[in-house]
Amino acid sequence: MMEVLKIAVLFLGAFVVTIALSYGVSVSCMMVYDEGGVSAVLQSPECSRWILSSGYPRNQTVNCQAATFQGSREYQEDRLLCDLHMKIPLLGKTGLEEFTIGLVAVFDGHGGNEASEMASKLLLDYFYMHAVFNSYKLMTQYRGVLPVTEDDITQLEILREALLNTIHEVDFKFSQDAFEKKLFSGSTATIALLVDGKILIANVGDSKALLCTENIQSGNLTANLSAIELTEDHHPDRDDERARIQAAGGSIIGLGVPRVNGILAVSRSIGDVYLKRYGVTAVPEVTGWQPLNVNNRYLVVSSDGTFESLTPEELCALIHDSGSCLASSSLAECIVETAFEKGSMDNLSVIVVPLF
């Protein structure tokens, strides 16, 4: 009996390693990841199969409408990402199974485009790799198969942790570059994950994510779209943000708008390395996983320039009345054009995802 058990354990171990190797995760590469994260994996000869992609699709389709406009600014510092069809192996009931993940992100740069550019280039690769390596860790913990009672919860937790680790590591990598090259730029990061009818938002800064939700009033067959905001801006004068900044020795000075040490109008950002010591952080606020329903018609993720001249309610109303837009315009282009015409002076960037 003991011999049979030993053979079974050895077979299971070989099975786990074989599957892991098919995704480029050797034991030695796993050790590299544990010590230094994705950045270390990409630099290690032990992990030669892992390289940065040449670029994921930035979808411009009926299901992922994106638009960006420089507006009145001298430079365009916004960056967008939208991939609704990422294939990521996660531990399931029969071992590693491929899941389709949607990821939508807006990065609103300031002080230069270096931070938003790096974040937009690294986010998808880093997120994918964090998810794969953490799935492999669970494979060894659960010996290749996830307990049926835990599969959904564990898979969503893997994705949540992968996103948090990704934001942290992107910020750390950019901060290293910024110190070496004396860069002063920073960026917001507002990211939505879509998985199997559920949504999670991670937010750093003052870009926004919202749902345009259909409302049908009793006795009235005409529906309108109302806005459900999924993020809360990180402005320095928000009570909890102010407390953190002041506890770190920073100050809130109003120069047009409240600013950290009279400089930065957001209290959380990727980059801004010279203000990190004063409480500026890249740690995101993260919603729990929320189920979507048939009344949630559109997901909108946008830089704050849009909201200089449009409220979230006006934005959703514009989508509802999009017949007034040019026939050649997507919903995202219509929002950007309207916000500019109404007086926004900032860079303008919007992603609109029809949901049902």
Side-chain angles (χ1 to χ4, degrees), residues 110 167-168 171-172 175 187-189 203-206 234 238 240-241 244-245 248 260 264 266-273 275-285:
H110 48 262
I167 294 170
H168 170 77
D171 176 63
F172 182 76
S175 295
S187 177
T188 71
N203 183 46
V204 177
D206 63 357
H234 294 131
R238 205 178 92 177
D240 54 344
E241 300 296 294
R244 189 185 67 254
I245 297 296
V260 179
L264 185 63
V266 292
S267 49
R268 302 194 193 196
S269 67
I270 291 173
D272 291 302
V273 293
L275 291 171
K276 284 288 199 284
R277 72 185 71 178
Y278 298 110
V280 173
T281 179
V283 175
E285 279 192 297

Side-chain angles (χ1 to χ4, degrees), residues 88-282:
I88 297 182
L90 299 174
L91 189 58
K93 300 169 187 174
T94 59
L96 282 180
E97 304 170 14
E98 263 195 350
F99 287 76
T100 301
I101 313 297
L103 189 151
V104 182
V106 167
F107 305 94
D108 182 352
H110 48 262
N113 64 13
E114 298 91 352
S116 57
E117 179 73 10
M118 178 180 284
S120 66
K121 284 185 174 179
L122 297 183
L123 185 80
L124 290 173
D125 280 314
Y126 275 45
F127 175 67
Y128 176 89
M129 292 170 70
H130 276 299
V132 169
F133 276 97
N134 283 307
S135 289
Y136 172 63
K137 283 185 178 180
L138 283 180
M139 285 184 69
T140 59
Q141 177 182 337
Y142 289 109
R143 299 185 178 181
V145 179
L146 198 63
V148 174
T149 56
E150 298 186 23
D151 57 350
D152 289 341
I153 295 173
T154 303
Q155 289 151 7
L156 294 177
E157 186 59 25
I158 287 173
L159 295 172
R160 180 183 182 278
E161 288 302 311
L163 184 56
L164 289 173
N165 291 337
T166 296
I167 294 170
H168 170 77
E169 192 163 358
V170 168
D171 176 63
F172 182 76
K173 180 170 176 55
F174 176 73
S175 295
Q176 287 181 313
D177 279 10
F179 276 121
E180 291 174 5
K181 300 174 183 177
K182 294 182 171 56
L183 301 175
F184 294 89
S185 64
S187 177
T188 71
T190 300
I191 304 163
L193 293 183
L194 299 162
V195 183
D196 193 25
K198 300 180 183 68
I199 187 170
L200 176 143
I201 306 292
N203 183 46
V204 177
D206 63 357
S207 295
K208 292 184 185 293
L210 57 94
L211 292 172
C212 292
T213 298
E214 191 172 59
N215 293 320
I216 300 178
Q217 297 178 350
S218 178
N220 186 352
L221 297 180
T222 303
N224 62 356
L225 291 177
S226 63
I228 299 175
E229 295 190 48
L230 303 176
T231 55
E232 186 177 354
D233 294 345
H234 294 131
H235 290 155
D237 60 341
R238 205 178 92 177
D239 287 346
D240 54 344
E241 300 296 294
R242 177 191 295 273
R244 189 185 67 254
I245 297 296
Q246 291 179 339
S251 58
I252 313 301
I253 301 172
L255 297 175
V257 295
R259 297 176 183 272
V260 179
N261 290 5
I263 300 170
L264 185 63
V266 292
S267 49
R268 302 194 193 196
S269 67
I270 291 173
D272 291 302
V273 293
Y274 298 103
L275 291 171
K276 284 288 199 284
R277 72 185 71 178
Y278 298 110
V280 173
T281 179

Side-chain angles (χ1 to χ4, degrees), residues 297-328:
R297 306 300 294 177
Y298 298 93
L299 167 67
V300 179
V301 184
S302 174
S303 60
D304 72 317
T306 302
F307 302 101
E308 283 189 1
S309 57
L310 291 174
T311 67
E313 290 292 340
E314 289 170 338
L315 185 151
C316 289
L318 180 62
I319 290 176
H320 182 256
D321 299 327
S322 58
S324 60
C325 298
L326 295 175
S328 59

